[in-house]
Amino acid sequence: MPAMAALLSQSSPLVTRMAVPSSPSASSSLSSSSLASPVFISPNRMPAASHARARVASRQPKSLTVQAATGDASDDGDNVVTLLDYGAGNVRSVRNAIRLLGYEINDVSEPEDILAAKKLIFPGVGAFRAAMDVLNSRGLSDAIRQYVALDRPFLGICLGLQLLFDGSEEFGDVEGLGIIPGTVSRFDGSTGLTVPQIGWNGLQIVQSEPSILDGVNGRHVYFVHSYRATQTPANSEWVLATANYGEPYVAAVRKGNVQAVQFHPEKSGVVGLDILRRFLGPNRSQQAKEVEAACSKPLRGPRASQLAKRVIACLDVRANDRGDLVVTKGDQYDVREQGDEREVRNLGKPVELAARYFEEGADEVAFLNITGFRDFPLGDLPMLEVMKRASERVFVPLTVGGGIRDFTDANGRPYSSLEVAAEYFRSGADKVSIGSEAVFAAEELMRSGKKTGKTGIEQISYVYGNQAVVVSIDPKRVYVHSPDDVPYKCVKASTPGPNGEEYAWYQCTVSGGREGRPIGAYELAQAVEQLGAGEILLNCIDCDGQGNGFDLDLVDLVSSAVTIPVIASSGAGTPQHFSQVFESTGASAALAAGIFHRNEVSIEAVKTHLAEEGIETRLL
């Protein structure tokens, strides 16, 4: 484990040589297919995907026969799997999952390592063109083709599936590995579909032979991508499973020992761990046996059929007055106890609580570091360690926020928000949440009408994909008599104001809600989507800690303003509040903190209620 930690703490060589364009006009489209994306973008246009098949036809696998998945009792006993990590994004969770299941890892450093592998896992991350540029420049493309042609155990994850196809339409036509016929294209968002798809969806398995998906048994798995492949007559023999998001798309492929999935098994909870277990081979740890036992149990509830509404557990983390990191919870953003001592409210230890929520069925876990790296963001080693330790025990997506900004240290050395985010991704985070800096960036965009390419949202989304960037909005309600009274989008308030006002707008704040800014939540959401954000975490100062339900007016306002997913936050007090926000607004997820920390409401109770109300939700 120490050796693994040392390896994972090293900076990616690709990050250090990345040059972000001054105005990445397509930053939001870089969310092609993963939790984090490569950081080297070639300026050269690749050959059209339509020519790919002719170029690689001689290297394609010939007439592979369908076989049972590897990993039965006749396995040769080898406990080493080769991992193709080409130096971009967060693959820590893949590593943690492999080690949890009792296997050791051999990293690919040169093409010969691929050809020598007995089992190869390729957790492709990021943009299609960028990944192919890296694979081609390092001579890895031909090695992958040769390995696959030999019908040896291969598992591609997310972009690792997409790269097997002829090409992708992302940034024009880009040539892929040319192993599976077809072109990867973007989800059609013109019909109101939120893109990227972020969340837990069901699988429709179309092959009858045994496979690594046998333990899914109608349960949800975790997807995060903007691009997808579709089934055609030319590639139908490859298709193992499909999923539906607006239309059917390819969710998994299998031909012989060559397999790949569009979703992230390392982020799909126990179901995903079982998929990896079946690929790796015989159980080599007690945890592997427990995973197998858990997935052999019958499904509790209806089979997964569509994208589920997510229930997210949030942990506000800060140092108490003794310097210990604790989980706390505010009452309208005040995290100190009432009374003479005014101590920071302590509701538990971050890693232990996160692990508990994972076991209870949380779809995601968010860490918000409300001390905010006030002096030296990259020096906040305890929080980085929290992420590392949490990723060893939590196999659903992890988001971290607080201090994701540009800064200069005491020695005058400048750091970009991209470098801060990269450190978190290497420590196990899947997404970063940006707060105050996003407000300032949106204000500048609205003033100038131009993107600079220099804001944290733009840089991080350009490098890691927009699905890796969450913008946290902290608005407060301001009542007005008429929408004409202010230059911001107003709503007709469900509850009149103190002086009988019938309308309200939502003023955005910074610095933990302490400073109001001249921009509304509606306008901010649209601006940050334009800058490259992939998701909105929508808080509400008025509702925070009150337990009276989400601000439905606010959530409906913002979810109607953008085409990216919106997470409703602040105010949950009962399971019914979750069904209300899902039934009344376009929210894709709902988040709670205090009611979970204090055991007032359990995650299981929320999900049971949603299922009873006919709302698709992930059940363990």
Side-chain angles (χ1 to χ4, degrees), residues 7 29 43 63 90 184 241 312 349 390 393 511 549:
L7 172 65
S29 69
S63 303
N90 167 33
V184 177
I312 301 175
K349 297 180 179 180
R393 300 176 61 181
S511 302

Side-chain angles (χ1 to χ4, degrees), residues 144-228:
I144 295 173
R145 293 184 183 107
Q146 292 175 41
Y147 182 91
V148 168
L150 294 171
D151 190 24
R152 292 160 70 183
F154 173 93
L155 177 62
I157 296 174
C158 201
L159 190 62
L161 174 145
Q162 295 186 9
L163 293 170
L164 297 176
F165 283 79
D166 283 335
S168 171
E169 295 179 354
E170 186 180 9
F171 294 116
D173 292 332
V174 183
E175 179 181 344
L177 293 170
I179 294 168
I180 303 177
T183 299
V184 177
S185 57
R186 196 174 192 272
F187 282 117
D188 183 6
S190 64
T191 60
L193 200 67
T194 58
V195 180
Q197 177 185 207
I198 299 179
W200 301 77
N201 209 333
L203 299 177
Q204 290 76 51
I205 299 174
V206 298
Q207 291 186 15
S208 59
E209 294 82 2
S211 77
I212 58 174
L213 302 183
D214 286 352
V216 174
N217 193 26
R219 297 177 175 90
H220 293 84
V221 292
Y222 183 78
F223 292 86
V224 52
H225 58 129
S226 294
Y227 285 74
R228 82 283 186 261

Side-chain angles (χ1 to χ4, degrees), residues 148-366:
V148 168
L150 294 171
D151 190 24
R152 292 160 70 183
F154 173 93
L155 177 62
I157 296 174
C158 201
L159 190 62
L161 174 145
Q162 295 186 9
L163 293 170
L164 297 176
F165 283 79
D166 283 335
S168 171
E169 295 179 354
E170 186 180 9
F171 294 116
D173 292 332
V174 183
E175 179 181 344
L177 293 170
I179 294 168
I180 303 177
T183 299
V184 177
S185 57
R186 196 174 192 272
F187 282 117
D188 183 6
S190 64
T191 60
L193 200 67
T194 58
V195 180
Q197 177 185 207
I198 299 179
W200 301 77
N201 209 333
L203 299 177
Q204 290 76 51
I205 299 174
V206 298
Q207 291 186 15
S208 59
E209 294 82 2
S211 77
I212 58 174
L213 302 183
D214 286 352
V216 174
N217 193 26
R219 297 177 175 90
H220 293 84
V221 292
Y222 183 78
F223 292 86
V224 52
H225 58 129
S226 294
Y227 285 74
R228 82 283 186 261
T230 55
Q231 184 173 355
T232 67
N235 63 33
S236 60
E237 63 178 344
W238 276 92
V239 178
L240 171 61
T242 62
N244 195 298
Y245 189 59
E247 62 180 353
Y249 64 91
V250 176
V253 297
R254 192 273 299 275
K255 204 174 194 183
N257 288 313
V258 178
Q259 305 172 89
V261 294
Q262 177 62 73
F263 55 90
H264 285 268
E266 79 283 10
K267 291 296 172 183
S268 295
V270 174
V271 173
L273 291 174
D274 186 68
I275 291 170
L276 291 172
R277 181 191 67 82
R278 290 172 183 270
F279 172 78
L280 290 172
N283 293 339
R284 297 185 181 276
S285 70
Q286 179 60 36
Q287 291 89 340
K289 296 177 182 177
E290 293 172 358
V291 165
E292 181 180 21
C295 287
S296 65
K297 296 178 180 178
L299 178 65
R300 184 176 66 87
R303 295 179 65 84
S305 61
Q306 60 184 326
L307 188 67
K309 296 296 186 179
R310 288 173 285 151
V311 176
I312 301 175
C314 181
L315 290 78
D316 291 337
V317 180
R318 65 157 292 164
N320 62 17
D321 297 328
R322 291 176 292 279
D324 302 320
L325 278 184
V326 299
V327 175
T328 188
K329 183 66 186 78
D331 182 350
Q332 296 186 314
Y333 287 30
D334 181 0
V335 300
R336 292 187 176 273
E337 299 283 9
Q338 301 300 313
D340 295 337
E341 298 296 327
R342 293 285 291 161
E343 291 186 350
V344 172
R345 192 172 292 115
N346 183 349
L347 297 175
K349 297 180 179 180
V351 175
E352 283 70 16
L353 270 181
R356 187 188 106 193
Y357 294 145
F358 165 61
E359 294 170 0
E360 292 178 356
D363 296 316
E364 297 182 23
V365 176

